[in-house]
Amino acid sequence: VFTTASAQDWVEESNEHTNVVLKAQSRFQPEGATSLGLTEFDESVMDLGPNLYERTIAVDQELVEMTREWLRTTENPKVIQDLNILQGALKDGIHSAGLNHKYMLPYYNLSQTMFFGFRALLDPRTDPSRYPAALIRLAKYTGRAEGSTPITELAKQRTQERFTVPGLLGPYQGELERDLNNVERFSGGLKQIFEDSGLEGYQEDLDVLLAQLNDYSDWLKAEMIPRARQDHRLPKELYADNLKNFGVREDPETLIRDAQFGFQEIKSQMRSVARQIAGQRGWENGELMHVMAELKKEKIPEGAILDVYKSRLAAIEEMILEHEIITLPERNASIRLATEAESASIPAPFMSPPQLIGNTGQYGEFVLVQNNPALEGEDSKMDDWNHDSVTWALTVHEARPGHEMQFAALVENGTSLARITYAFNSANVEGWGLYSEAIMMEYLPLEGQLFALLARLQRAGRMFMDPMVNLGLLTPEDAVDFMINQIGLSRAMASSEADRYAFLAPGQATSYYYGYRNLQRLRTEVEMALGERFNQRKYHDFILKQGLLPPALLRQAVLEDFVPTQ
């Protein structure tokens, strides 16, 4: 049984505090609590009641005061670290909520919220004893449960009450249209989730919910499309706040400058590897884009994709063991294909994390996405993930030693709840994925090395294109053309990338290369301090044992705890 409990007293003390914060906040967003593993919220639904903004801010401010009191009474330095993580997350949340309240008209993508909430609760990895809670939650969403109001009506009310506030920005029209086009896919996904669950007695309430979601879509078309903004750009203050929340502590101009330099450095390495591949294969044309295009033609038959990725994982694990890169778990990693609803929401391969609280042996899943359903015809097809050469880097990033091991370590190592939940940000998660590609690259075949470098090139491109798109220095359409012509992405992949920058998650795409650079800088410091005593397996094991610490705290832990022991 894997739990977040630990024999270490400091973890127990820290968890007591974090549980108070988690439970207070989960009353507003129980769907997120369910995915974490807080079973007491399985029957609850998101709070969209009156005075929502004022009530959430009041609770968070009270929690900040609690953390101040706890800091006055604790002595353990690690508990103090965790309390600072909690307090920082709470203050950041209050600041972000204030900015959104100031600038943005409330907008709720309910179909997607319903899909991911029920997917977490009825996941095959979830204990089936939790499944019946989905029936209670379903009845509450529809308003058919005693004392409940349809969630769609509450969402309309929270949005309508802000219609009269002058100057508020509606959702970007491209985002709204994409969400409306995906309603049918999420409805189909919800039906499939309930069918696969084996539950009985859900059909009537599910039919009501789906009808309500369709009605809500009609309301969005009537009321929100006219209020949608034509310019994807957020106010600069909001974009800067997004960067901070994703763990990126640099101004956009610095990100652009640093990443543009890195982009050319990486591309020069790629040209060298491409010429070596052309020489090995007897190709006269060794130009980078030609070599990549030729390698992309080596497609994996659709029915064989899972088997190929699993064989790649086995080969990578042998490399890890042979070169003592990190300590491997004794169990297998999980890989599966994405559903259409998942592909519609996340049109790129991803890691589906396990529940992180009360974990009883559930692990993350590496989910393979093969198309972008938001696009049509040939434009929806991706040739980015279904050819032989890319399988190496993608398996390293999403499975081992990347995200699969990262999330498994959180539940296996007795990591504190604060580090599992409130320290979690995109930079420290995705930085590890990209760093994993770098430490494995030298052992991969040349084709694998080329596409590991391509993955790094794409992340460097993200770190300058995302801020450029959001500062108005680059249009999303020009970003798509650049990614097709200069990085070699399919139109489907490039389009989903541009959507990410413009409206899906402005700022998030910068976090990969930013987090990667932090980890590489830290490793250089450690190698300088230890010289020949540096042992990468011990170092990487230590990094994963720290949980998802922000870069500054991770550096402190490495230099103060790891280096002296070596």
Side-chain angles (χ1 to χ4, degrees):
V1 175
F2 301 119
T3 69
T4 51
S6 168
Q8 297 169 288
D9 291 341
W10 79 265
V11 172
E12 294 178 8
E13 182 184 347
S14 172
N15 286 355
E16 286 180 17
H17 299 318
T18 306
N19 266 315
V20 172
V21 177
L22 265 175
K23 290 177 180 179
Q25 291 194 317
S26 294
R27 295 201 303 268
F28 296 100
Q29 293 287 343
E31 294 84 356
T34 289
S35 63
L36 283 172
L38 286 171
T39 57
E40 65 198 86
F41 293 96
D42 286 353
E43 296 179 1
S44 303
V45 298
M46 63 192 295
D47 183 345
L48 292 182
N51 304 311
L52 176 62
Y53 170 71
E54 292 79 7
R55 290 186 292 112
T56 54
I57 293 299
V59 167
D60 284 353
Q61 287 174 335
E62 184 180 347
L63 292 170
V64 169
E65 289 305 313
M66 285 186 185
T67 61
R68 287 182 179 139
E69 183 59 35
W70 294 332
L71 279 165
R72 282 194 286 270
T73 58
T74 192
E75 297 179 356
N76 190 295
K78 289 190 178 293
V79 177
I80 291 171
Q81 264 189 350
D82 281 6
L83 288 173
N84 283 324
I85 288 170
L86 286 177
Q87 190 177 108
L90 287 164
K91 288 179 176 178
D92 284 347
I94 291 169
H95 180 67
S96 298
L99 288 176
N100 275 283
H101 192 68
K102 173 183 176 182
Y103 287 114
M104 306 303 292
L105 187 65
Y107 165 60
Y108 304 97
N109 184 358
L110 290 181
S111 294
Q112 181 169 296
T113 301
M114 302 293 104
F115 172 76
F116 281 106
F118 281 116
R119 190 190 73 163
L121 184 52
L122 299 177
D123 191 301
R125 294 171 291 174
T126 300
D127 186 336
S129 66
R130 297 172 62 187
Y131 286 6
L135 301 177
I136 298 170
R137 179 178 279 183
L138 184 59
K140 289 180 178 178
Y141 279 139
T142 62
R144 286 158 64 91
E146 187 177 348
S148 63
T149 303
I151 197 73
T152 51
E153 293 307 309
L154 290 172
K156 292 176 190 177
Q157 291 169 19
R158 298 293 74 77
T159 302
Q160 283 173 322
E161 67 191 11
R162 302 282 286 165
F163 279 170
T164 56
V165 179
L168 292 185
L169 298 172
Y172 171 54
Q173 184 166 341
E175 173 187 16
L176 190 52
E177 290 172 350
R178 178 185 184 276
D179 292 347
L180 289 169
N181 288 336
N182 280 336
V183 168
E184 188 175 338
R185 294 187 181 94
F186 285 126
S187 295
L190 279 168
K191 289 178 184 177
Q192 192 63 54
I193 287 168
F194 275 94
E195 285 175 15
D196 293 345
S197 72
L199 286 172
E200 296 181 358
Y202 67 84
Q203 193 63 60
E204 189 174 347
D205 278 339
L206 182 59
D207 288 344
V208 170
L209 178 64
L210 296 181
Q212 290 172 340
L213 290 173
N214 283 331
D215 170 72
Y216 182 64
S217 294
D218 291 339
W219 181 84
L220 288 174
K221 291 172 186 174
E223 297 291 342
M224 291 296 272
I225 289 284
R227 292 177 169 88
R229 68 185 195 274
Q230 302 304 307
D231 188 341
H232 66 272
R233 289 176 294 174
L234 293 170
K236 285 187 177 181
E237 198 178 2
L238 260 179
Y239 181 66
D241 188 63
N242 276 8
L243 290 175
K244 180 193 69 180
N245 289 335
F246 289 126
V248 178
R249 303 278 175 164
E250 292 283 0
D251 62 82
E253 290 78 13
T254 301
L255 296 175
I256 293 168
R257 185 183 66 243
D258 290 352
Q260 286 176 334
F261 170 79
F263 187 87
Q264 292 303 329
E265 288 282 285
I266 298 162
K267 206 161 189 183
S268 67
Q269 295 175 57
M270 293 179 69
R271 291 189 186 100
S272 173
V273 176
R275 292 200 177 278
Q276 293 178 63
I277 293 170
Q280 280 188 354
R281 293 181 172 233
W283 295 343
E284 289 186 15
N285 188 342
E287 294 296 321
L288 173 59
M289 299 306 287
H290 174 78
V291 170
M292 287 202 303
E294 289 300 305
L295 291 175
K296 278 188 170 187
K297 292 177 182 177
E298 298 174 351
K299 296 197 183 308
I300 304 165
E302 198 163 313
I305 283 179
L306 270 180
D307 288 338
V308 170
Y309 272 96
K310 287 176 181 178
S311 70
R312 288 291 176 269
L313 177 61
I316 288 164
E317 288 177 329
E318 287 183 17
M319 296 171 191
I320 291 171
L321 290 171
E322 180 183 353
H323 301 288
E324 298 186 332
I325 292 166
I326 197 167
T327 301
L328 282 175
E330 293 184 2
R331 53 173 175 75
N332 294 326
S334 177
I335 308 175
R336 68 172 174 84
L337 298 177
T339 65
E340 184 178 6
E342 288 173 325
S343 300
S345 178
I346 311 171
F350 63 94
M351 168 56 56
S352 173
Q355 70 178 62
L356 297 175
I357 297 173
N359 189 290
T360 55
Q362 299 93 339
Y363 291 99
E365 293 177 326
F366 168 20
V367 184
L368 286 164
V369 176
Q370 299 176 81
N371 67 349
N372 182 352
L375 302 174
E376 296 181 357
E378 285 303 308
D379 281 351
S380 72
K381 298 287 188 267
M382 292 181 177
D383 63 0
D384 307 272
W385 318 113
N386 61 355
H387 60 92
D388 192 73
S389 300
V390 78
T391 56
W392 298 96
L394 189 57
T395 305
V396 165
H397 185 102
E398 301 292 353
R400 295 182 176 172
H403 293 324
E404 191 270 348
M405 284 190 64
Q406 187 178 38
F407 283 106
L410 294 180
V411 295
E412 292 177 353
N413 291 334
T415 309
S416 69
L417 291 180
R419 296 172 192 226
I420 285 175
T421 53
Y422 289 94
F424 189 114
N425 66 47
S426 194
N428 54 25
V429 173
E430 297 299 351
W432 174 258
L434 199 49
Y435 175 83
S436 296
E437 294 174 24
I439 60 177
M440 292 303 301
M441 195 179 84
E442 65 184 281
Y443 309 114
L444 304 180
L446 283 177
E447 292 82 359
Q449 291 183 33
L450 182 65
F451 279 86
L453 286 168
L454 176 66
R456 196 182 308 168
L457 184 79
Q458 183 183 347
R459 275 40 172 251
R462 285 174 173 175
M463 201 167 95
F464 64 78
M465 280 187 284
D466 187 301
M468 289 180 75
V469 165
N470 282 282
L471 295 180
L473 303 173
L474 183 72
T475 67
E477 294 74 23
D478 287 343
V480 169
D481 289 341
F482 181 85
M483 286 183 274
I484 292 171
N485 297 322
Q486 299 298 323
I487 301 179
L489 301 186
S490 67
R491 181 163 294 278
M493 187 63 201
S495 297
S496 68
E497 284 285 292
D499 288 350
R500 182 199 297 234
Y501 312 155
F503 60 84
L504 288 179
Q508 189 271 344
T510 65
S511 62
Y512 297 71
Y513 195 58
Y514 178 84
Y516 163 72
R517 283 157 51 95
N518 282 333
L519 284 171
Q520 289 289 40
R521 279 196 294 265
L522 179 58
R523 175 162 176 161
T524 301
E525 282 192 83
V526 176
E527 289 182 346
M528 290 177 72
L530 294 178
E532 293 182 357
R533 290 169 294 172
F534 177 77
N535 180 300
Q536 70 169 347
R537 180 178 56 79
K538 291 180 180 178
Y539 175 66
H540 294 145
D541 289 350
F542 179 87
I543 293 286
L544 287 190
K545 283 179 182 175
Q546 303 317 299
L548 298 171
L549 282 180
L553 288 180
L554 178 61
R555 180 176 179 272
Q556 181 183 345
V558 167
L559 298 181
E560 294 180 6
D561 297 342
F562 176 75
V563 170
T565 65
Q566 303 302 302

